[in-house]
Amino acid sequence: MTTITRLAKHRLFWPVAILVVLLLSNLIFTPSFFKVEVRDGHLYGSLIDILRFGAPLILVALGMTLVIATGGIDLSVGSVVAICGALACWRISEQGDQNSVGGVLVAVVLALGLALLLGLWNGFLVAGIGIQPIIATLILMVAGRGLAQLITDGQIITINSSPYKEIGAGYLLTFPVPVLIAIVVIVVAVLLTRRTALGMLVESVGGNAEASRLAGIRSRRIKLMAYMFAALCAGIAGLMISSNVSSADGNNAGLWYELDAILAVVIGGTLLTGGRFSIGGTVIGALIIQTLTTTIYTIGVPPETTLLVKALVVTVVCLIQSPSFREKVFKGRRQRPPTPSAPTAEAPAKVEVPA
Amino acid sequence: MTGISKEFPGVKALSDVDFRLLPGEVHALMGENGAGKSTLIKVLTGVYDIDQGQITLDGTDVRFSGPLQAQHAGISTVYQEVNLCPNLSVAENIFIGREPRRFGKIQWSQMEKRAAELLKRLQLDIDVSAQLSTYSLAVQQMVAIARAIDISAKVLILDEPTSSLDASEVEQLFRVMRQLKEEGVAILFVTHFLDQVFTISDRITVLRNGRLVGEYITRELSLIDLVGKMIGKELEVLEQLEEQPKPALAALERGQPLIEAQDLGRKGAVAPFNLTIHKGEVVGLAGLLGSGRTEVARLIYGADKADQGQLLVDGKPVAMRGPRSAMGHDIAFCSENRRTEGLIEELTVRENIILAMQAVRGWTRPIPRRRQDELVDKYIKALDIRPANPEAIVRNLSGGNQQKVLLARWLITEPRLLILDEPTRGIDIGAKTEIQRLVAALSDGGMAVLFVSAELEEVLRLSHKIAVLRDRHLIAELANDDEVDADRIMETIASGARA
């Protein structure tokens, strides 16, 4: 009992439990769900698909985590996904030889450079000028789609470049490349935040901005970095997505990604009010959302109701996540003890775990 | 209330406490931080359910399942932090949730008329249609009381109502309390100010560590007895404090001033002032609430930018571009409001302590974990921070311990000037003594301290020099010799003489 209660108190207990339940529920519809096999030197299976298609969301959510931890929010990541995909595809399509590795590298560097610039813009509006994050990033969310359209000239650019295709659809040592990229970025993010003091300073700024200022923290710089990191992550995701389909669609690439990313962060246990954040939680949150999407497709929910089903499941997930909701349900089920001495023994079970 | 017990996991907050409150009396509930005062109030007002015991109101047993129910039964509470909406009008605040309506439409004129009448009863004549935030904290407090007694007028609980009021405002509040008392309202009064207890209360109940120490008639109890009952065995602490001599002026070597403010000022905050602070000197800032004490401290630290004058460190003018440059000159600042401007409450004790030092090093050079643990352990021990757990979340610490964490944060940066803005506000007498002794020790060790406090005794006890403020002017600078006492400072404030 004690190990279970201690486990249940762990920050990531509920997200992990939800993910496991979601995965297990797939077994009912697809008995071979957990089967992973090597075919043509590539890993195949539903679990691998979830990781592969979930990689862009994991990246975007990762950047979002840091921004949210500083007490902000970034609505523009979906647009950044589109812009970067568009720029890379446009650059490649302009090349004589679309298969030139050098040319693809230039395109990638250009796209990611632009992503950093867009992040700088967001960070400047938020930290430099002091516009509320939701408004400041709304500007790029809306204008960014236009920017992407401008790059693609209003068309969907289709390319035929095998080096570029590797980013989103390739395999390296039997592993899908996007998953590897995501793992690298996760590791970098963890090292960057937990091996340096960045994580603590981010949490401090998000936890109490004025106190952080008085303690001498350069909160502007910290915020700027968070927005730039978020845009960079979105940029990489944009490359993956456009690479996977070998085309850039300024209108639909990364559409509503910001909302999925915010959701992943919240499910992962980082509060929207800022402060303490959990990268592990965010990754699990993103996987939950991707698993849900995959599940909905595999069990054949009619396409016109997928969003509704998704919304319902997400609502349930969020409720289960909420300590106060759990407490209420818990309390309601348990009878109020008739003797006044009884509750003392049970009191610890009622306690909320501080996040 | 009889035999009340309340347990939180790991803590027995109240055990078998009896408490009675009679109509028409002011009853003070006393105890150190963590003695169980707040818990008792929360039980009484239905915020917490009780584990054991019985609550009786007007002779009938009651059990509240929420604050609203308690309110309907006639128990109202005014908390330390005013729980009102600053952006609504005074009248709206008083009647929020129970506006006079006709056919669903709010009757504004009637609401304002009733609000004005209500406040007049409290001898407050203000424009009730103005936004609440335009009035002083004292007035806001009154509005909160007006709201409370209008909802239900049997029991009024005042939790630390005077902590942000100045002397005349406190007097105004006491007038209202006396009047309500005569009308038969039972008032439960919680405060840290001992003298106020003796001024206003009829009876005193003392709690210690969740247990009832006793119930006393106020006029039969002396101040020293009361403190003894509150802190128990640690009475000698207080006696030591009383005997502690004023800091010796002679011992102080004056040379080059460490810090010199020349005509430093900021429009709307404080008029240009001159102030010098030497190495090892404790400079006290005295003045009424709102006289500009905090503003002076903030200007020297650079928390607010000065728009006139200059600041000299070691005789050289420095450009003050904010907290960072102050820290660069070894100036540290413990702000008045430790929860909103000091601590990051969701972080741990360790993280809060190393925060300022880490900020100076920058994010790329984290303090090695072993060094962190060393520093943190050292200060947890030195300042006796409880619980002595570096990974405890600061939010869960008591006020005194939070203050110590904030102090530790600045002490590890080894400042030459430590600015303490109200370091002892809202903390219990034990922690208060410790902090006062620490200030004396730091000054002996050569650290300069700028000490801001609303309590004159404290300023007198610690300072070598006292700067007196009034109406946002620094009006006098008194060397704290034998001739200076609280009366002299009050006179200086009252006469407004400029030295």
Coordinates of all heavy atoms in Angstrom, one line a residue, chain B residues 23 25 51 56 79 106 111 137 154 228 231 242 306 312 377 381 444 470 479:
Chain B
P23 N -20.9 37.7 23.9 CA -21.4 38.9 23.1 C -21.0 40.2 23.9 O -20.8 40.2 25.1 CB -23.0 38.8 23.2 CG -23.2 37.7 24.2 CD -22.0 36.8 24.3
E25 N -18.0 41.6 23.8 CA -16.6 41.7 24.3 C -15.7 41.7 23.1 O -16.0 41.2 22.0 CB -16.3 40.5 25.2 CG -16.2 39.2 24.5 CD -15.5 38.1 25.3 OE1 -15.0 38.5 26.3 OE2 -15.4 37.0 24.8
D51 N -12.2 17.6 13.6 CA -12.1 16.1 13.8 C -12.8 15.7 15.0 O -13.4 14.7 15.1 CB -10.6 15.7 13.9 CG -9.8 16.0 12.6 OD1 -10.5 16.1 11.5 OD2 -8.6 16.1 12.6
T56 N -20.7 25.5 19.7 CA -22.1 25.9 20.1 C -22.2 27.3 19.9 O -21.4 28.2 20.2 CB -22.2 25.6 21.6 OG1 -21.6 24.3 21.9 CG2 -23.7 25.6 22.0
Y79 N -10.2 39.3 6.9 CA -8.9 38.7 7.0 C -7.8 39.8 6.8 O -8.1 40.9 6.5 CB -8.7 37.7 5.8 CG -9.5 36.4 6.1 CD1 -10.7 36.2 5.4 CD2 -9.0 35.5 7.0 CE1 -11.4 35.0 5.7 CE2 -9.7 34.4 7.3 CZ -10.9 34.1 6.6 OH -11.6 33.0 6.9
I106 N -30.5 45.9 -10.6 CA -29.9 46.4 -9.4 C -30.3 47.8 -9.1 O -30.3 48.7 -10.1 CB -28.3 46.3 -9.5 CG1 -27.9 44.9 -9.6 CG2 -27.7 47.0 -8.3 CD1 -26.4 44.7 -9.8
M111 N -28.6 51.2 -3.2 CA -27.4 50.5 -2.7 C -26.4 51.5 -2.2 O -25.9 51.3 -1.1 CB -26.8 49.7 -3.9 CG -25.6 48.9 -3.6 SD -25.3 47.7 -4.9 CE -23.9 48.4 -5.6
L137 N -5.6 51.8 2.7 CA -5.8 50.5 3.3 C -6.7 50.5 4.5 O -7.6 49.6 4.6 CB -4.5 49.8 3.7 CG -3.8 49.0 2.6 CD1 -2.5 48.5 3.1 CD2 -4.7 47.8 2.3
K154 N -23.4 39.0 14.6 CA -23.3 38.4 15.9 C -21.8 38.3 16.3 O -21.4 38.7 17.4 CB -23.9 37.0 15.9 CG -25.3 37.0 16.4 CD -25.8 35.5 16.5 CE -27.2 35.4 16.0 NZ -27.5 34.0 15.7
G228 N 5.3 35.5 28.2 CA 5.7 34.2 28.8 C 4.8 33.1 28.5 O 5.2 32.0 28.1
I231 N 5.1 32.2 24.6 CA 6.3 31.4 24.1 C 6.8 30.4 25.1 O 7.7 29.6 24.8 CB 7.5 32.4 23.8 CG1 8.0 33.1 25.0 CG2 7.1 33.4 22.7 CD1 9.1 34.1 24.7
E242 N 15.2 42.7 26.2 CA 14.9 43.9 26.9 C 16.2 44.5 27.4 O 16.4 45.7 27.5 CB 14.0 43.6 28.1 CG 12.7 43.0 27.7 CD 11.6 44.1 27.5 OE1 11.1 44.6 28.5 OE2 11.2 44.3 26.3
A306 N 15.8 56.2 -9.5 CA 15.8 57.6 -9.0 C 15.7 58.5 -10.2 O 16.3 58.2 -11.3 CB 17.0 57.9 -8.2
L312 N 26.5 57.5 -4.2 CA 28.0 57.3 -4.2 C 28.3 56.0 -3.4 O 27.8 55.8 -2.3 CB 28.7 58.4 -3.6 CG 29.0 59.7 -4.4 CD1 27.7 60.3 -4.9 CD2 29.9 60.6 -3.7
D377 N 23.0 24.4 3.9 CA 23.0 23.7 5.2 C 23.5 24.7 6.3 O 23.0 24.8 7.4 CB 23.9 22.5 5.2 CG 23.1 21.3 4.6 OD1 21.9 21.4 4.5 OD2 23.8 20.3 4.2
K381 N 21.3 26.1 9.4 CA 21.7 25.9 10.8 C 21.9 27.3 11.5 O 21.4 27.5 12.6 CB 23.1 25.2 10.8 CG 22.9 23.7 10.7 CD 24.0 22.9 11.4 CE 24.0 21.5 11.0 NZ 24.6 21.3 9.6
D444 N 28.3 44.1 13.9 CA 29.5 43.9 14.6 C 30.6 43.4 13.6 O 31.8 43.7 13.7 CB 29.4 42.9 15.7 CG 28.7 43.6 16.9 OD1 28.7 44.8 16.9 OD2 28.2 42.9 17.8
R470 N 8.9 62.0 7.2 CA 7.5 62.4 7.3 C 7.0 62.9 6.0 O 7.7 63.7 5.3 CB 7.4 63.5 8.4 CG 6.0 64.0 8.5 CD 5.9 65.1 9.5 NE 4.9 66.0 9.1 CZ 4.5 66.9 9.9 NH1 4.9 67.0 11.1 NH2 3.6 67.8 9.5
A479 N 21.5 60.9 15.8 CA 22.4 59.9 16.3 C 21.7 59.2 17.5 O 21.1 59.9 18.4 CB 23.7 60.5 16.8

